[in-house]
Amino acid sequence: MNSASTPFDSALIPEGVKRCSFGWFLVWIGILQVPLMIGAIAYLVCWGLALNQTYLNNNYPFGIWIAADLGIIALGGGAFFTGFLRYVIKIDELKNIVNFAVVVGVICYSAALGILAVDIGQPLRGWHIFWHANVHSMLTEVAFCISCYFTVLLIEYLPLVLENRQIDRVPVFHFFSHRLHEAMPAIAAVGVFLSFFHQGSLGGVPGVLYGRPFAYREGFLVWPWTFFLFILSAMACGPCFTILITRITEGFARKNLVKRNVIDILAKISGWLLAGYLVLKILDTVGWLSWAGQVGAPLGSFYANQPYGYWVLITELGIFGVIPCILLLIKATRQNQNILILACFLNCAGIFMNRWIMTVQSLAVPVMPFDKFFSYHPNWAEWASTLLWVWIGAVVISLSYRYLPIFPQEKELNPL
């Protein structure tokens, strides 16, 4: 590489890899600031003028924010599950993607906490959930687990920052980074423990709503079946989201960053987990319909209110469930990159649809003869504040890719 093509910030870029010029990088970051500023304005509007600036109301206390929160947390499950496969199950090939899975996990959980900060209306009182904890609420356990797991994710992300070329030259940082790497299996195990419980408890929240037959489930001991379904679905879709973001990053970088066999391992595992989830989900649906019918809530009552017709059930289990599952399980379709991206996208879309159904649709279905159904569509402030974290995530990935060694196979796949 000659001096004319050397980026201005080359001293900070990992050795042996090529990046675009510093000017183009600034242009890219500048473009991301436009939608990011719109999202920031939406936050200020909601905080400054209160939540009546949204379309949330007594019929829809859970709107796009809660549904997005649950979906994002499930997508971020790729971090804990990839760490589990790498450090506990000892699948060595995944060392080449676990760093990026951690970056994606940090972004997802930052987004979840950030969205909660606007959803509670008064973020300055957010600490009340810890200090005045309601020990009878699963949401309290969720708050504690998510906060602790986010700390674990930051600890997992820290060695990547310390491995920046210039930071790594400082002996104390180099030593600290080395020690953190040695402790990573134990840290990953703690992350797995915390993730299992908060992913499950998020599913337990709708499952214990006894007065809502659309959501209520029986279960095992104190845990409704939705507790276990949420854990399994997060394990099935998290790796797919990591694959999807990896392929998008490769598209912008115009180079391969991870070997295909690594992607194939994650995709295959995700496919089998999705198959297991679908079997249990279908059994759960059949059992739920039988139980709901016995308490006077026939199947038709759940799908009588538009836009939530029977297409919801078909789309969630069929288009966003069975189809990606088949595509991920068949080797030929799994190894076709375009079909793989489609399968991962459908799997991730299915998670968002499932979380929307369990949090928004389940509370919207009338349960009393005098109840009326009201529709809900998020307004611009809700959309902009939710999508804000997409742009923040793009900035974090751009900075991490440019300055940190998050793809160990990049040099080998793209020799200079």
Side-chain angles (χ1 to χ4, degrees):
M1 185 183 297
N2 58 50
S3 58
S5 60
T6 302
F8 169 76
D9 54 347
S10 59
L12 296 170
I13 294 173
E15 288 183 299
V17 300
K18 186 177 182 180
R19 297 288 183 266
C20 67
S21 71
F22 188 61
W24 279 115
F25 182 68
L26 286 183
V27 169
W28 165 244
I29 296 297
I31 291 173
L32 291 174
Q33 301 308 304
V34 177
L36 199 151
M37 285 298 107
I38 297 174
I41 292 171
Y43 262 72
L44 293 176
V45 167
C46 293
W47 280 338
L49 302 178
L51 295 183
N52 59 11
Q53 299 302 306
T54 71
Y55 286 168
L56 296 175
N57 52 52
N58 290 336
N59 293 297
Y60 288 95
F62 288 174
I64 187 176
W65 285 331
I66 290 298
D69 246 354
L70 270 60
I72 290 169
I73 289 173
L75 296 182
F80 93 83
F81 189 59
T82 308
F84 171 75
L85 295 173
R86 166 69 182 92
Y87 295 110
V88 180
I89 305 298
K90 305 290 185 184
I91 301 179
D92 193 53
E93 291 87 346
L94 297 183
K95 67 184 179 185
N96 299 305
I97 199 170
V98 70
N99 290 345
F100 192 61
V102 168
V103 175
V104 174
V106 168
I107 294 169
C108 288
Y109 278 79
S110 300
L113 293 172
I115 291 173
L116 277 179
V118 67
D119 196 16
I120 61 178
Q122 295 200 34
L124 293 179
R125 297 183 180 178
W127 58 274
H128 283 204
I129 197 169
F130 303 105
W131 193 255
H132 305 290
N134 177 4
V135 296
H136 301 291
S137 171
M138 283 194 175
L139 284 177
T140 302
E141 180 198 342
V142 170
F144 275 90
C145 273
I146 288 180
S147 302
C148 292
Y149 182 58
F150 182 60
T151 305
V152 170
L153 279 173
L154 292 178
I155 293 173
E156 291 179 333
Y157 185 58
L158 183 58
L160 296 176
V161 176
L162 297 178
E163 286 179 356
N164 174 270
R165 282 176 62 184
Q166 299 306 316
I167 298 176
D168 191 54
R169 290 180 178 178
V170 180
V172 64
F173 290 147
H174 177 84
F175 176 81
F176 187 45
S177 170
H178 181 68
R179 293 303 180 195
L180 279 176
H181 276 296
E182 289 182 340
M184 204 51 70
I187 296 171
V190 172
V192 170
F193 174 79
L194 292 170
S195 293
F196 268 94
F197 273 93
H198 74 251
Q199 295 280 2
S201 292
L202 286 172
V205 171
V208 297
L209 297 177
Y210 189 77
R212 295 284 177 177
F214 194 91
Y216 177 76
R217 298 289 194 279
E218 296 180 329
F220 176 71
L221 296 179
V222 299
W223 299 289
W225 296 127
T226 48
F227 179 94
F228 305 100
L229 289 174
F230 267 49
I231 294 175
L232 190 53
S233 60
M235 291 166 61
C237 84
C240 275
F241 188 61
T242 302
I243 294 172
L244 195 60
I245 300 301
T246 301
R247 295 294 292 138
I248 292 173
T249 305
E250 289 180 335
F252 277 97
R254 298 180 181 179
K255 63 174 78 168
N256 290 328
L257 300 170
V258 180
K259 289 184 177 178
R260 298 299 85 147
N261 70 311
V262 178
I263 298 290
D264 190 63
I265 291 172
L266 268 187
K268 185 178 180 180
I269 293 173
S270 184
W272 282 110
L273 287 171
L274 183 57
Y277 166 73
L278 284 173
V279 170
L280 296 178
K281 176 66 179 176
I282 291 171
L283 290 175
D284 169 76
T285 302
V286 172
W288 158 66
L289 289 176
S290 174
W291 173 86
Q294 293 173 11
V295 298
L299 173 64
S301 65
F302 297 127
Y303 300 101
N305 306 292
Q306 296 301 323
Y308 302 116
Y310 283 106
W311 68 270
V312 171
L313 187 62
I314 297 170
T315 304
E316 182 196 2
L317 295 181
I319 299 175
F320 291 158
V322 175
I323 292 177
C325 179
I326 293 173
L327 295 178
L328 290 169
L329 288 179
I330 299 175
K331 185 176 181 180
T333 53
R334 188 173 67 238
Q335 294 185 341
N336 181 306
Q337 294 307 304
N338 292 328
I339 296 178
L340 175 63
I341 291 174
L342 174 64
C344 290
F345 174 78
L346 292 176
N347 190 0
C348 296
I351 279 295
F352 272 105
M353 187 168 189
N354 173 263
R355 280 16 178 196
W356 179 277
I357 291 170
M358 296 304 291
T359 56
V360 177
Q361 184 184 354
S362 63
L363 296 184
V365 175
V367 293
M368 295 292 181
F370 50 83
D371 276 349
K372 293 182 179 179
F373 175 81
F374 296 92
S375 61
Y376 161 76
H377 303 284
N379 70 1
W380 77 270
E382 292 168 86
W383 279 113
S385 55
T386 303
L387 293 175
L388 165 71
W389 294 95
V390 174
W391 320 124
I392 291 177
V395 171
V396 172
I397 289 176
S398 300
L399 291 169
S400 298
Y401 169 67
R402 187 171 182 84
Y403 296 119
L404 305 179
I406 56 176
F407 292 109
Q409 295 178 319
E410 183 181 0
K411 289 182 189 176
E412 180 185 348
L413 291 170
N414 306 276
L416 296 178

